Amino acid sequence: MKETILNKANEMFLTLGFKSVTMDDIAAELGISKKTIYQHYANKTDLVEACTMHLFGTISAGIDNIREQGKDSIEEIFIVRNFMMQHLHNESASPFYQLQKFFPKIFSCLREKQFAKMNGCMVDNLKRGVDSDIFRKDINIDFVSRIYFTGLTGIKDSDIFPHNMFDVHSTTKQFLEYHLRAIVTQKGLQILERFNEKY
């Protein structure tokens, strides 16, 4: 039952937002009493934390599986992006804005974990790209990796990228192209243009 509650709560939080969904809503969706939820999770904050850490673990494992496929650096970035869009319900910014505003400690912990994971993966991706002559040899790998993380998280800021002006899906794609065009070699540009059409 604990896992069932976790999965349903995760789905509802990502669709409707961490603040918007109540314990009553989750209980009603599952056809159980709120008391049953409290047997497994002390309060809503406990459930939100469990959901975000579970989601982070699922996405981390998925990214590790993608990295093991041995794709070139550019294709790997596109595959990871598609995987994350599927697992984050197209990365709607609203749930994570609510998480940041109403559960700041959980958000801060999640962001630290996200940065550590993404930075480690991106540094490896960039090194492989440089070695295979897809990325320029003169790039500062640590700088580019951090700019990548900053950009991906920054485009979800609804104050700067209002939802009525910027669709998260297309904005993410535009950011990836913007980012990659700055670091690719001529060989890498041909690969980028091929995958831009494919994805």
Side-chain angles (χ1 to χ4, degrees), residues 37-54:
I37 297 177
Y38 287 126
Q39 287 173 352
H40 300 283
Y41 299 97
N43 49 47
K44 184 177 174 181
T45 301
D46 188 31
L47 179 57
V48 168
E49 184 174 17
C51 283
T52 54
M53 293 308 128
H54 174 73

Side-chain angles (χ1 to χ4, degrees), residues 68-86:
E68 288 169 7
Q69 292 173 18
K71 304 289 185 184
D72 70 59
S73 294
I74 293 174
E75 185 173 12
E76 183 179 275
I77 288 173
F78 277 95
I79 295 172
V80 167
R81 170 188 172 262
N82 285 355
F83 169 77
M84 289 181 70
M85 294 294 263
Q86 289 168 2

Side-chain angles (χ1 to χ4, degrees), residues 85-98:
M85 294 294 263
Q86 289 168 2
H87 278 76
L88 296 176
H89 292 222
N90 287 327
E91 284 197 270
S92 168
S94 178
F96 292 95
Y97 172 77
Q98 290 188 16

Side-chain angles (χ1 to χ4, degrees), residues 164-197:
N164 61 336
M165 289 177 64
F166 298 94
D167 169 69
V168 176
H169 188 274
S170 61
T171 305
T172 305
K173 184 178 183 297
Q174 287 177 58
F175 171 73
L176 287 184
E177 184 172 359
Y178 171 84
H179 170 79
L180 288 168
R181 280 185 181 276
I183 63 173
V184 292
T185 59
Q186 195 59 43
K187 176 183 174 183
L189 182 59
Q190 292 173 353
I191 296 169
L192 172 60
E193 288 175 344
R194 190 165 74 243
F195 285 113
N196 246 341
E197 291 178 17

